[in-house]
Amino acid sequence: MTERIFIGVAWPYANGPLHLGHISGAYLPADIFARYHRLKGNEVLMVSGSDQHGAPITIRAEQESTTPQEIATKYHQQFLDCWQKLGISFDLFTTTDTQNHAQVTHDIFLTLLHKGYIYKDKMFQAYCPKCRRFLPDRYLEGACLYCGFPKARGDECDECGKPVNPSDLKDPHCYLCSTPVRFESSEHFFLRLSAFQDKLAAWVKEQSHWRHNVLGTTWKFLDEGLKDRAITRDIDWGVSIPQSGFENKRIYVWFEAVIGYLSATKEWAKLRGDDLAWQPFWQSGAKNYYFLGKDNIFFHTLIWPAMLMGYGSLNLPYDVPANEFLTIEGRKLSTSRKWAVWLPDYLERYEPDSLRYVLAANMPETGDSDFSWREFLRRNNNELVATYGNLAHRVLAFAYRNFDGAIPTPGELDEQSRELLHKSQASLDSVDSLLYRCNFKEAVREAMSLAREGNRYLDEQAPWKTIKEAPGVAAKSIYTALSVLSALKTVFYPFLPFSSEKLHSLLGFDGSVKEAGWKRQSLSPGQRLRQPQPLFVKLDDSIVTQETSQVGSVEGNQNVK
Ligand SMILES: [Zn+2]
Ligand SMILES: [Zn+2]
């Protein structure tokens, strides 16, 4: 039975280039999951877009003396380019700066307002006497109430990861000019989050399939008790407020960005000429998954579900497989300290599949994990090149040379060959169920262990010896090994889409892996192979010193000023 799978991926701020932390945290796992489900024949919709609002954009615009619009447009283009090169297969990657998004946001805002889940109240907002304006939370700096970190911002503490309110900061001052701020009263709208406390707790209790870290974080907020939150601000960049008297204020970014999942689905439906095509992905019968980093859990397991509950008749999240953080060379990744590996830099120098493989094999699913160039080199050379790539190349080259460029007729299979084919089916089943449960790291390990089995089999069968005195035996070994490759191009496809398509073609198949589906596609004796080529490129040891010295250096971060 086919399933309907909605995949929402956290919206990146269009204020700077993507780095490996973004990819390993959200975009790669989401893409692996989408490709897997498409191969299974399920109906998949994967959407996201660049978050063009919010203080990170306006801060960057002020630093570069340009407009928020220009910053957002520039990075949105760069994101699109990165998705294409890395093979992140969005069905739609839009932006929050569309008419459609504003309309959907207004609809949700007004519905919640009429139902009493949004109300008007006064709040004190930080005002900088030197800059002579109200400051967005992100422009406010001070010591964190929870952990004492002196450079916490008015929306979140980067050290302990807790969302904070501007009033939670000690010695609050302006982030741009360091002047102490004063708080002035201003009228705003609030989301009555407290009204959803019991309903959310009851709902979260049913989510036993969620990851431990996601449940843990969610319960921490629930146990502390949910507080109402202001959803508008005295700013001029963002979605307007559909109420008179609020022309100079805007809807705050965290409230509208999550609505992007719904508005992007509606935009996707319009683009394909069927305005109602969004509905099946938001109604019973569909499963809604959200991929994001752990700092975003609160917004996806509590805030967005509360908004959906209040609005009514739309699917709540089915799963939120949030990842922990990726460290770089043993140190916490930090864009402000420029300690990062930038995706555009990587894509200029190396193959997309190598990165996809290394990040998947080391995905921070249950705890933080580290990316180092030494580990990157080791996995690329020892696993992709020497294990999987080597198996594929020697089998394909041997077949091409000794059997007239075609798949040989195997005759009757011996015990060992039957056993290996059995294992390749078992591997397909096992990777299938691991991916179904979002266990990406274990799934890619399982796929690689099938490649190891293939190498072991080939070494024992030694067709290069049997080809002379018993070519029929060699034909059987090579046929079996080619069949294993046919399973490998499938189990590796979600992780390594480019090399899987290549292997698919080298094996002589037409069309794409996606059209072939989740199976070991059977080989017909006589099927023409294509001229063998290596699947992966071996990298030189020197990249380790070279690349490591670039992390955190100005040269390595030319995209960032
Ligand atoms: Zn100031
Ligand atoms: Zn803190």
Side-chain angles (χ1 to χ4, degrees), residues 57-335:
I57 317 274
T58 49
I59 288 178
R60 169 60 67 112
E62 267 162 47
Q63 283 167 347
E64 296 192 7
S65 316
T66 174
T67 62
Q69 183 62 66
E70 238 171 82
I71 293 286
T73 305
K74 171 179 156 189
Y75 287 108
H76 180 66
Q77 280 311 317
Q78 197 188 75
F79 292 167
L80 290 173
D81 184 52
C82 282
W83 303 143
Q84 196 244 325
K85 287 180 179 154
L86 189 61
I88 305 294
S89 52
F90 283 111
D91 294 291
L92 178 67
F93 187 82
T94 176
T95 85
T96 52
D97 197 30
T98 64
Q99 193 64 42
N100 167 69
H101 177 67
Q103 261 167 20
V104 177
T105 301
H106 287 168
D107 172 39
I108 291 195
F109 181 96
L110 292 171
T111 305
L112 294 179
L113 184 70
H114 294 146
K115 289 186 172 185
Y117 294 123
I118 285 178
Y119 60 93
K120 230 187 283 183
D121 200 357
K122 297 240 166 166
M123 72 181 254
F124 283 93
Q125 207 177 346
Y127 184 84
C128 175
K130 191 172 173 203
C131 300
R132 281 192 287 177
R133 66 172 180 191
F134 281 106
L135 296 180
D137 297 352
R138 191 85 199 151
Y139 281 57
L140 201 60
E141 195 177 67
C144 172
L145 175 78
Y146 304 102
C147 75
F149 179 61
K151 287 179 174 304
R153 298 288 188 84
D155 56 348
E156 184 186 56
C157 172
D158 289 340
E159 189 66 27
C160 66
K162 288 203 174 181
V164 299
N165 287 308
S167 55
D168 293 343
L169 295 175
K170 272 182 278 179
D171 306 321
H173 51 266
C174 173
Y175 170 74
L176 295 174
C177 73
S178 299
T179 308
V181 299
R182 60 171 191 254
F183 286 90
E184 290 188 2
S185 176
S186 174
E187 191 168 49
H188 282 284
F189 287 96
F190 288 73
L191 175 66
R192 205 183 293 279
L193 197 55
S194 57
F196 297 93
Q197 171 84 29
D198 295 343
K199 225 175 151 189
L200 283 168
W203 173 68
V204 173
K205 226 173 243 159
E206 292 164 15
Q207 312 306 320
S208 53
H209 57 286
W210 286 8
R211 286 184 182 169
H212 289 304
N213 58 340
V214 175
L215 280 172
T217 305
T218 305
W219 277 115
K220 220 168 66 191
F221 287 113
L222 282 169
D223 291 343
E224 283 167 6
L226 299 175
K227 294 172 196 67
D228 297 352
R229 287 171 69 102
I231 58 166
T232 52
R233 287 292 187 279
D234 292 274
I235 48 177
D236 55 10
W237 177 245
V239 176
S240 65
I241 302 169
Q243 289 287 290
S244 63
F246 286 83
E247 290 76 11
N248 297 324
K249 304 180 185 190
R250 292 289 178 273
I251 293 180
Y252 202 37
V253 65
W254 64 258
F255 182 82
E256 49 109 346
V258 285
I259 296 175
Y261 299 118
L262 180 62
S263 66
T265 315
K266 292 189 172 181
E267 185 182 341
W268 166 83
K270 279 180 203 150
L271 287 171
R272 70 202 298 261
D274 178 1
D275 284 9
L276 297 181
W278 66 274
Q279 286 177 340
F281 286 99
W282 287 89
Q283 289 167 350
S284 65
K287 281 182 179 168
N288 298 51
Y289 289 80
Y290 295 88
F291 288 83
L292 39 120
K294 69 174 164 189
D295 51 336
N296 248 322
I297 291 175
F298 175 67
F299 294 98
H300 292 80
T301 62
L302 294 168
I303 297 246
W304 180 226
M307 291 162 66
L308 289 166
M309 284 172 176
Y311 185 83
S313 74
L314 295 176
N315 269 3
L316 297 179
Y318 173 77
D319 199 0
V320 183
N323 274 344
E324 301 281 300
F325 289 150
L326 187 74
T327 56
I328 302 286
E329 304 285 350
R331 274 174 54 186
K332 196 176 158 183
L333 194 152
S334 160
T335 49

Side-chain angles (χ1 to χ4, degrees), residues 2-6 37 41-45 268 280-281:
T2 64
E3 292 191 63
R4 193 172 290 126
I5 307 286
F6 172 85
H37 276 293
N42 291 326
E43 209 181 317
V44 175
L45 181 68
W268 166 83
F281 286 99

